[in-house]
Amino acid sequence: MAKKKRIVIALGGNALGNTLPEQMAAVKVTAKAIVDFIEEGHEVIVTHGNGPQVGMVNNAMIALTNEDASQPNTPLSVCVAMSQAYIGYDLQNALREELLNRNITNIPVATMITQVRVETDDPAFAFPSKPIGKFVDAAMAEKMEEKFHYIMKEDAGRGYRRVVASPKPVEIIEADTIRTMVNAGNLVIACGGGGIPVIREGNHLKGTSAVIDKDFVSCLLAKELDADYLIILTAVEKIALHFGQPQEAWLDEVSAEKANEYIAQGHFAPGSMMPKVQAAVDFAVSKPGRYALITLLEKAKEALAGTTGTLFHL
Ligand code: ADP
Ligand code: MG
């Protein structure tokens, strides 16, 4: 067997689905891919996105305020915490079962509710850009601006949506706890949905209305845990130059330097592939011997063996 690796696996939207039944079915497939790595002797830490789930929680909590006037609105940070617990529960449940199905009985599975600190002076706060929650009409948008102090923006002719800032993660508050759990041989799920965004006020950490990119925080966690690989699992097997165009060219491997050139040339869509490529580059350059992979969930094992996916290296 090849030398055991420490791997941070970042799960994208297709690893979790969009609804409760979809997620329950998706995590079974996801658990198989993750346990494949564990069976090969690797140490795995799981992170994940939460777009549809946090939208669902957010909408449910708004519905609650409409039903019961005494209920204040739920802060976005609390919605992220709820989504971490809900997704963590499904993943934890499916991973435990998959481990037992393969007679692996010595790896406990746990979810770490994770707070991630951002800076109040992050320029992202001046330009909220990340749309969340459902589309509403102009009248409703105005009402939500008044009632909840939301920033509502028209979104490509489809109606109005709330927009929030997407600041850079600077510190994973529970990093030491996560490290202790991983070093003790636990399979840990952490930093869900990019982490609960908090700002420091003396000893107090205050939840803030923002969404942290899960690819950036996964990179930070992989560095914190001194991982060998950051594997970002998404909806494409490899990244491409001229994506979706006639001259489309899929990349098997790319140096950090080349990747930065391709970013500058605009090959990767902002908000979807760009943060993944940036996170992959950031990890690959952080220390010799560190690599990042972007591939499909179903191809994760082959990608680590070097036969598919896009490999990022120094
Ligand atoms: P996730 O939920 O995994 O974060 P996203 O939808 O945010 O997934 O990002 C992955 C998507 O990025 C791919 O499905 C693809 O449609 C899109 N994409 C944009 N640019 C590229 C590119 N250059 N190469 C490959 N995929 C790209
Ligand atoms: Mg995404």
Side-chain angles (χ1 to χ4, degrees):
M1 188 174 58
K3 193 183 156 282
K4 156 178 145 167
K5 306 244 171 14
R6 179 171 282 193
I7 305 169
V8 170
I9 298 186
L11 303 173
N14 64 333
L16 298 170
N18 291 302
T19 62
L20 273 95
E22 270 182 33
Q23 179 170 304
M24 192 164 270
V27 291
K28 291 191 200 304
V29 180
T30 303
K32 287 197 168 67
I34 293 168
V35 176
D36 278 350
F37 285 130
I38 293 171
E39 216 168 28
E40 290 184 356
H42 303 303
E43 252 177 0
V44 176
I45 302 94
V46 180
T47 66
H48 59 84
N50 73 346
Q53 295 81 2
V54 77
M56 185 172 78
V57 171
N58 192 49
N59 291 342
M61 300 319 283
I62 289 175
L64 178 68
T65 66
N66 293 334
E67 213 168 84
D68 176 355
S70 72
Q71 289 286 352
N73 191 34
T74 306
L76 184 58
S77 49
V78 177
C79 294
V80 174
M82 289 176 172
S83 78
Q84 284 189 350
Y86 157 53
I87 297 168
Y89 159 50
D90 267 3
L91 279 172
Q92 218 171 274
N93 183 286
L95 284 166
R96 175 187 166 276
E97 185 171 330
E98 187 61 28
L99 287 164
L100 292 179
N101 287 347
R102 301 199 203 182
N103 295 315
I104 302 172
T105 55
N106 60 342
I107 300 188
V109 189
T111 300
M112 187 72 218
I113 297 298
T114 317
Q115 304 172 90
V116 175
R117 192 168 66 79
V118 298
E119 303 277 16
T120 25
D121 61 358
D122 189 303
F125 280 110
F127 303 99
S129 59
K130 180 106 187 154
I132 60 159
K134 60 178 180 187
F135 288 96
V136 297
D137 61 21
M140 188 57 170
E142 204 171 303
K143 221 184 255 174
M144 288 169 89
E145 283 186 331
E146 247 166 55
K147 192 169 167 190
F148 303 134
H149 308 291
Y150 285 180
I151 301 165
M152 305 295 291
K153 270 196 190 150
E154 217 269 334
D155 189 334
R158 292 176 294 179
Y160 289 78
R161 273 177 104 186
R162 180 182 182 195
V163 290
V164 297
S166 190
K168 290 281 174 310
V170 293
E171 181 188 0
I172 297 167
I173 302 298
E174 286 78 18
D176 287 342
T177 315
I178 297 168
R179 191 181 299 106
T180 303
M181 289 163 81
V182 171
N183 288 346
N186 294 276
L187 171 49
V188 181
I189 302 150
C191 297
I196 303 163
V198 295
I199 53 175
R200 193 189 291 292
E201 286 182 350
N203 284 339
H204 178 60
L205 295 172
K206 186 172 183 282
T208 179
S209 281
V211 170
I212 302 169
D213 190 283
K214 73 109 174 41
D215 299 310
F216 292 151
V217 83
S218 301
C219 172
L220 182 58
L221 182 66
K223 289 190 215 169
E224 280 283 337
L225 297 177
D226 196 17
D228 304 294
Y229 273 83
L230 168 64
I231 304 185
I232 300 177
L233 299 179
T234 184
V236 285
E237 187 165 340
K238 298 176 186 185
I239 66 164
L241 303 180
H242 309 285
F243 179 69
Q245 291 160 36
Q247 68 273 47
E248 185 174 70
W250 300 98
L251 300 176
D252 297 327
E253 52 83 31
V254 64
S255 69
E257 200 183 335
K258 271 280 163 205
N260 280 328
E261 276 176 37
Y262 298 146
I263 291 173
Q265 291 164 4
H267 286 285
F268 313 115
S272 64
M273 191 46 77
M274 181 131 94
K276 295 183 205 316
V277 174
Q278 288 171 327
V281 168
D282 186 351
F283 185 67
V285 301
S286 62
K287 197 171 165 183
R290 288 181 178 173
Y291 299 92
L293 277 166
I294 298 181
T295 194
L296 277 177
L297 177 76
E298 296 76 15
K299 301 284 179 176
K301 202 173 162 179
E302 288 170 56
L304 188 64
T307 57
T308 191
T310 305
L311 180 74
F312 292 75
H313 53 83
L314 260 183

